[in-house]
Structure formats: C-alpha cells, structure tokens
Amino acid sequence: MTDTYSALVNNPVGGFVAKNLGLPKPVPLDRYVEGAPLIDGAVLVGSAPGGRLGPSVATILAGADAHVDSRLDDEVRSPLGAAGVDAGVWNPEAPGSQRWKGLVFDATGITSSEQLRELWSFFHPTIRRLAPSGRLIVLGTPPEDCTEPRHATAQRALEGFVRAAGKECRYGATAQLTYVAPGAEERLESTLRFFLSPRSAYVCGQLARIGAGKDVPGIDWERPLHGKVALVTGASRGIGEAIARTLERDGAHVVGLDVPPLADDLEKVVSSIGGSAIVADITDPEAPAQICDELQAKHGGVDVVVHNAGVTRDKTLGGMDEERWSLLMDINLSSEERINDALIERDLLNDNGRVVCVSSMSGIAGNAGQTNYSTSKAGVIGMVQSMAPVFAERGATINAVAPGFIETQMTAAMPIGPREAGRRMNSLSQGGLPVDVAEAIAWFASPASTGLNGNVVRVCGQSLIGA
Amino acid sequence: MNSQTRPAVVLASNRIPFARSNGPYAKASNQDMLTAALDGLIAAAGIAGERLGEIAGGAVLKHSRDFNLTRESLLGTRISPETPAYDVGQACGTGLETFILTANKVALGQIDSAIACGVDTTSDAPVALNEDLRKILMEANSTKSNADRAKLLAKLRPGMIVPEIPQNAEPRTGLSMGEHTAIMARDWGITREAQDELAIASHDRLAAAYEEGFEDDLVTPYLGLERDQNLRPGSTLEKLGKLKPVFGGPEGTMTAANSTPLSDGASAVLLSSEQWAKEHGLTPLARFVDAETAAVDHVGGRDGLLMAPAYAVPRMLARNELSLQDFDFYEIHEAFAAQVLSTLAAWEDPVFCHERLGLDAPLGSIDRAKLNVKGGSLAAAHPFAATGGRIVGNLAKILHENGGGRGLISICAAGGQGVVGILEA
Ligand SMILES: NC(=O)c1ccc[n+]([C@@H]2O[C@H](COP(=O)([O-])OP(=O)(O)OC[C@H]3O[C@@H](n4cnc5c(N)ncnc54)[C@H](O)[C@@H]3O)[C@@H](O)[C@H]2O)c1
C-alpha cells in the first residue's frame, strides 16, 4: 500500500513543508527479514542495584550472540561474564561516539520512589544514542507482587516512564516495559527477544506481564512453531493472511478459516504456505463443532488458535439498526467464545496451547460511530482476562493484540481526513503493516511464551488515542 | 644438568637521566649512552676489572652497525673484557627481558653474576637507505663490468635519495602505538581526567623522589643533564585539561601530557647469586621471584595492542598462588596513562576476567597509593629498552628501603606483548 504522506514528506520539498507546518516526519521502520540476527547492533545493558534479572538477560543475549555493552561498575557485568558474554565497556564520562540498537535496563532492584533516579542515570546519557528503530526496554516487578507499598508504588511508576520515553524516542525507536513476576525469570526470553527485534516494529509504549506458567521448552528461535498446528480465522486476506504467513514462517502448519464467498482466496493463501483450509462462517451454530471435527480428524488437536475474523458495521448508536449490532457482536465476540468453549469441552487444545485474539484500539479507547465494534473489542479483552485462569489450568494461555491503524483494504477505504489523522497520531507517525500485528501474535503463540497469560498488547505505534 | 635453583638477587642499578628526543643527547649514540650507564654502575658497585657471567642488553631502534651493541659497549667500560655479552630484542619489553634471562641463568647456576641493560635513542635513530636505492647499489656491487655498472647506476632517480625513516607504527595495522592505545581508552571508557590525574601523580612522585635523594644512587648525570628532562612537577588538572588530544581524533582523551614522549636514555642493573654478592661485599636489595610474558592478537582479535600484561600477570599470580592484592608495590610501566588504566579496569572487570582470563572472579582493584610510588614513565619518559632497567632498579631499592615486601612489575610492548615479573625483599 502506498502511503502518500510518507512518500511526500520524505522527499526534500515535502520534508521542508512538513517541518515548517510542524508535521511529523515518519521514518521507514526496520522489519524482520528471515535469518537476520536478533538485533542489528549493540545492546547496552544496565541494572539498578539489587536487580534480579541480570542472569536471565545475560543468558538470553548470550544465546542470541548479541554484541553487549555495559558500564564497568554495573552489577550486571558479573552475570554477563558468567553467561559468557564478552561485553564491552561504556563510560558516560568518556562517551565517545557509541550508539546502541537496544537499551535494556533491569529496574527490579528499585524498591522506593527515591531510587527511580536509577532510570534517569541509565537513560539520560544514552537515550540520544539510540539508533534508528532502536529499542528501549525496562524490566520491572509487577506492582501486585510487591508486598511493600513503596516498592509497589515505585514499580508502578515505571509505566509512566516508559510511556513518556516512547514518545521521546525518535527515528522509529520504541520503548516497552516488561513486568516479570518473582520466580518467572526463566520465562523472559520470548518477550525480551520480541521487544529487542525488528518484529516489534510497530509496538511502542507497551507493557507485558510475565508470570506463572509452564517451564519453557527448548526451542529453535528461527522456527519456534515447528511441528505445531495453528488455526487462523479470517485468513484469506488482510491481517489474517499476514498472520497465516508469519506463523508458517515460524514453522507452523496453518489451518486457515474463512467464509464461503472467500473460499477461493482462502485456498490461494493456504496452498501457497502448505496449509489447509476450513470454509465456515463462524457465526454458524454448527461452526464450532465443524472446526473441532476437522482439527481432530486431521491433526488430533490444535496448538495455536488465532481469533482474527472480525468486521466493522459503523453507524452512530442512534442510527444503528439491531442487525448491525447483533451480527457484529456475534462475529467479533460471541462466536469466539463458542469456539473456545467447544475446544475446551472436547479437549482439543494441545498441551502448552495458545489462544490469541485480535482486539482493537477502539476496544480500549472507544470510537464514535463504533459503539458496536468498541463493545465487541472491549469484550475480547474481557474474554482474555476472564479466560486466562481457565486456560492456565489446562497448561494453556490466552492473550490479545489490539491493533491501531493498520494499512489494509479496510483503512484504505477510509476518507482522507480520518485516515491521515489515524496514521499520524502516534509516536511513529505512520500506520502499521498487517505483518506487525502478525509478529505480535507469533510472539504470544510461541511455545516459549508460557509466562504470558491474560495480556493485551497494542500494536499501534503508541497511538495518542486511548493511551 | 642442575635441577636445583637458587635465588638471583638485585645488587645495584644505574641509569643516565632520560632526555627528550633531539635534546641534550642528540649527538650521543646508543653505544655512548649504554657505556655511560654501565660505567656508572661499575663504579657504584666497585666491580671494575671483574669478569662477570655475562651482560645482556638491547635497543629497540638500532643501527645495523650496532649488531653487537652490548659487547661493544662493554669493551668501552672498565669491566673485564673477558665478560661475554649478547643483544636481546623484545620491543619495550627488552630491558625487563634482559633481566629475566640473566636472572634465570643465575638461578640455574649457569652464571654467578650479570648485568642486564638497555638503551634507546630516538634522536640518532637508524635511517635506512631507500629500498629501491639499496637494491640498485647491491646489484652494482656484485656486477663485474664497468659498463653494466654504469647501466645500473643510470637507473638512479632523485626520489630514491629519500631515506626510510623508522616509524612508530605497528607493521600489521599501520596504526601508531598512540592510536592503538586510543582505541583501548575508548573500549575501556577511560576518561581524560583519570589519565591526567595519573600523569600529575607520576611527575609529582618522581620530583619528590629526586628531592628526598632517593634517585641519588640510581641516576648518574650525563652530558649536563642531572634529572630527567621530561619531569614537570606541580601541574594541575586544569592546566593539563587545556592540551589538545594527540591521539583518538578530536574526541580523543590522550594528550602529550598523558602519553610518554620520544626520548633517549640508558639503564643497567647488576644481579648475582647470594654467594657472589657476599664475596663482593654487596648487599642484595631484592630477590627475583618469577616472570611471565604474554601476547595478544591485536590484529584480528578483540584485545587492544597493549593489553598483554593483563594476561601475563594473572598467569604469573596463579603459578605463585598469589592474589593481585598480595603486593606492597606495583610498578606498571606508563607507556600511556590509558594503558595503565585500561589494564587496571580489565582486572576489575568480571567480564574480562571470566571471558578472556577464564577466572571465576575478577582479580579486583589495587590500592592506588602503592602504584608507581616514585613516579613512572610519564614523568621520567620512556627510552624504550631502558625502561625495564629503570623499573627493576627502582623497585629493588623501594623494597630494600621498605625493609621487605613484594613488588609487581608490568611492562607492555609493541607487537601486542607484555613482560611482567615479581621481586621480593
Ligand atoms: N485494519 C485495521 O486497522 C484493524 C485495526 C484494529 C483491529 N483490526 C481487527 O483485525 C482483524 C482483521 O482485520 P482486517 O483489517 O484484516 O479486516 P479484513 O476485513 O480485511 O479481514 C477480515 C477477515 O475476516 C473474515 N470474516 C469476517 N466475518 C467472518 C465470519 N463470520 N466467519 C469467518 N470469517 C469471517 C473476512 O472474510 C476476512 O477475510 C479484525 O478482527 C479487525 O477487527 C483491524
């Protein structure tokens, strides 16, 4: 899809105009290409005194063969050394011209608001040294897991820091916060990798919570879904197609689902990735049983279920007929609940299973003309949160991504005013691509993401709406 | 063969004051300076006419006519001409290496006494014939007929008169030693301020050593120079802060004040067995304990050119079951302040110690009050092969005056090498 505004402001004259009108200048974002290293540049690692994630971070970076630096007097150098990371030294007082692609700070040692100064100490001399499409990552302890009120207060404060830093990051760089519950240190890897890599290109200012869960199995990070079966609804086009292709790239056998009128398109997509198709309308009362039957017969179960199929039926509430409301609610929410229930009832979700739902920014912020849509997408978030313990009991997880403005046929059809506003009103000053949503889904879908359950992560470039 | 070893002890040392390049020693040759240093030592120890086991010496920059520099120098002194000698070369480690070689021979009982010495001049540096000119002249020399010779000589071009001047650059990287060290300084995050502080301390401590008479029996005046010409005590961070960086580009931290200048000088150390010392009525100042040399791959590896001592020391410590903190004095050659500070940083770094040294824990920090207590190369300057003798003589006297103790010597050298040793009293 051509983004006319980007093309315009990235040419000299347009750029001049954009600058003088105070319009943001979007930069092309780094995106993952198969076989590329985890991160294309050095990572500076730091720790507040007493941090507990140093060993995990060191082991992950060692495994990814990343070039790592730290301050010489940083506690994190001991775990780095122990993990076999031949880390370089950086001294803010002799800064040189060093630049980093990633800044990772373990803030778990911060137990009081006074100690929040550690954030300043680490990031003040370094944030301007973050390369284009760089990654600023803060690791903390979930406030709900802190017994001391001051500890919880300080850890909650990290959220404000990351959200503000995300807005200050330039040239396509992003900022994220990850809360790692005590005892969940070993489950950090899939999340740290996702946030460091260009796979998280359009994710900014987000918070992931890593908690209890199964032990992380050994996986091949190039093909984490090798041997897994993934069901993707609405797979014939748009975001669903990108999800199908991305999960296949990660090693999965993809079972794509779409409505009968799109059967040909669906067939094209799944046959190009060696997958299989289920033609069904998910609102059909027989659909859950049909899906279960096919998965059971052909694959004996399913490892990953992606609830992507969704529609908009926009109208302000006063002018909205009942059908617009009910049909949308059935497609976007109720049918997903029924499919989940059927899979649970028939015990078809394999061990270490994953359910990943596609919510929306509108479900968080609410959108005029979309009372039905916003209700359904907020309901998806509700479903993720309410079902998380149910899936946890079965050794599975359920999470959601909430896309912001994604360049698809749906958004291309919007009138220019709202479309340009939607594209630009975020920290990255551009719309995301379907693959950006797909990468976030692949992260939740990874067998290594055992500690992520009940999370809702936005893929919105840190939209100003509904922040 | 003898399987027993015996202590080798340091008895005395002597050096001439070190001069800046093209200064007072501009017209002195390596042989002149080395002879002067040896003469001073022979006089001080009262060993004129003695036949010693051997004299080992060397110079980093050497004329081809000086192929037997140490032996020729010896013949100009009052030591017995029946004393054998040989030249040693290990870049800036040469001086210390001559001491290690001769001390080992004493320890093995192969010799009873020796002088270890070194000299260098950057004023009278060997200028070589242009390589093209040399080839033509060599060919002309071996040509029989005059006509052929004339033909060859007709090939001479004016450009061939430009001589080959020795360069202070690493042959395999083309970078000067200063540029290499600037990379180390950057890699280890060494600040300008820390380097300048080390330089100020070096000058102030050497000046104090002269004031208190410590240098009186270590240094013999030469060609009108009584103290090291480079010595500038009483400087401040503010003053040194004004100097422009000379290495590492405009953002560099290395200046003329925290790098050693090119210089001229010579030094010599007398050592022997305890028995020989007793027979000659000389008091042992310190005992040679052990030494180690190391080298790094500064061309293809991740280590900086002058980081080899960071490897040599821990190997030597392990062999002697010592920790880095088990020393009363540390003599770390200040080729550049950044070299010393990078080495200390490496020993404090859990990553370097684990990854490159294979140790479970870092070596740790040293008490900086024990480092180069009588000043170092930044103040005295660094006539390459003469530095080892200056440091050995210095440390032996420090240990003796202290009434005992243990001292560490660490010297970095071109080509990615390091030479280190331990003395005890
Ligand atoms: N495009 C965006 O900017 C954006 C933003 C936020 C959320 N989303 C969400 O992302 C998901 C995909 O959106 P898209 O932009 O790719 O839209 P799209 O219309 O291009 O694709 C949706 C797919 O779902 C299928 N589908 C619809 N109803 C179905 C039914 N009853 N049974 C089976 N399949 C059905 C469609 O046939 C289609 O293939 C949706 O849930 C949407 O709400 C999109």
Side-chain angles (χ1 to χ4, degrees), chain A residues 67 72 77-78 80-82 84-87 89 91 93-94 96-97, chain B residues 186-191 251 302 345 348-352 354-356:
Chain A
H67 179 100
L72 188 59
R77 281 190 89 69
S78 291
L80 284 172
V85 179
D86 200 351
V89 169
N91 180 354
E93 274 139 38
S97 53
Chain B
R186 187 201 62 204
D187 286 354
W188 286 101
I190 307 300
T191 64
E251 281 192 359
R302 275 196 70 181
E348 287 172 22
D349 180 17
V351 169
F352 181 88
H354 188 278
E355 282 307 290
R356 315 229 192 145

Side-chain angles (χ1 to χ4, degrees), chain A residues 10-35:
Chain A
N10 281 310
N11 90 24
V13 178
F16 176 81
V17 174
K19 197 173 159 211
N20 286 282
L21 294 176
L23 296 174
K25 189 167 184 270
V27 298
L29 306 178
D30 284 6
R31 288 200 165 77
Y32 176 69
V33 278
E34 255 184 285

Side-chain angles (χ1 to χ4, degrees), chain B residues 327-368:
Chain B
F327 291 85
D328 304 288
F329 302 98
Y330 302 86
E331 286 289 327
I332 304 182
H333 164 47
E334 299 161 347
F336 302 90
Q339 191 281 334
V340 179
L341 296 168
S342 297
T343 304
L344 295 178
W347 288 336
E348 287 172 22
D349 180 17
V351 169
F352 181 88
C353 291
H354 188 278
E355 282 307 290
R356 315 229 192 145
L357 302 180
L359 301 176
D360 291 336
L363 267 64
S365 56
I366 66 165
D367 179 354
R368 293 281 287 272

Side-chain angles (χ1 to χ4, degrees), chain A residues 233-240 257-259 262 280-283 307-312 331-332 358-361 373 377 402-411:
Chain A
T233 67
S236 67
R237 66 178 199 213
I239 293 171
L257 180 147
D258 218 308
V259 289
L262 291 177
D281 181 328
I282 51 173
T283 59
H307 291 302
N308 163 74
V311 294
T312 50
I331 298 172
N332 289 6
V358 180
S359 174
S360 167
M361 205 169 72
Y373 187 73
K377 292 299 184 179
F405 187 98
I406 304 298
E407 306 284 355
T408 59
Q409 288 175 19
M410 180 179 105
T411 50

Side-chain angles (χ1 to χ4, degrees), chain B residues 31-49:
Chain B
Q31 188 175 324
D32 295 339
M33 291 190 288
L34 186 55
T35 305
L38 289 170
D39 263 334
L41 180 63
I42 292 159
I47 53 169

Side-chain angles (χ1 to χ4, degrees), chain A residues 30-236:
Chain A
D30 284 6
R31 288 200 165 77
Y32 176 69
V33 278
E34 255 184 285
L38 175 68
I39 183 165
D40 173 27
V43 181
L44 182 78
V45 180
S47 175
R52 67 190 154 80
L53 293 170
S56 303
V57 172
T59 310
I60 294 164
L61 293 174
D65 213 11
H67 179 100
V68 180
D69 293 322
S70 82
R71 291 194 195 182
L72 188 59
D73 58 0
D74 199 300
E75 277 183 14
V76 81
R77 281 190 89 69
S78 291
L80 284 172
V85 179
D86 200 351
V89 169
W90 188 68
N91 180 354
E93 274 139 38
S97 53
Q98 214 132 332
R99 290 252 174 298
W100 294 280
K101 197 75 175 187
L103 303 173
V104 177
F105 186 67
D106 175 8
T108 55
I110 294 177
T111 55
S112 73
S113 55
E114 289 84 357
Q115 290 169 4
L116 289 166
R117 191 184 167 281
E118 297 289 335
L119 289 170
W120 179 86
S121 302
F122 182 78
F123 289 109
H124 160 72
T126 53
I127 189 164
R128 288 184 181 157
R129 294 174 176 272
L130 197 53
S133 289
R135 298 286 182 261
L136 184 159
I137 297 168
V138 177
L139 306 172
T141 300
E144 59 273 20
D145 288 322
C146 305
T147 37
E148 291 297 318
R150 278 168 178 267
H151 187 188
T153 302
Q155 288 296 322
R156 176 60 181 79
L158 301 179
E159 215 180 300
F161 175 81
V162 166
R163 292 200 200 282
K167 291 180 179 175
E168 284 191 10
C169 280
R170 303 170 62 189
Y171 308 115
T174 61
Q176 328 285 0
L177 173 61
T178 301
Y179 282 136
V180 183
E185 293 81 7
E186 303 292 316
R187 295 189 271 281
L188 172 62
E189 182 154 13
S190 68
T191 301
L192 185 60
R193 278 178 173 263
F194 176 66
F195 281 158
L196 278 175
S197 92
R199 294 170 202 251
S200 59
Y202 199 59
V203 180
C204 185
Q206 295 305 296
L207 159 52
R209 279 188 154 76
I210 299 175
K214 300 172 76 75
D215 286 347
V216 177
I219 63 163
D220 169 4
W221 290 101
E222 287 283 300
R223 290 176 72 74
L225 293 173
H226 178 73
K228 305 281 179 180
V229 175
L231 171 71
V232 180
T233 67
S236 67

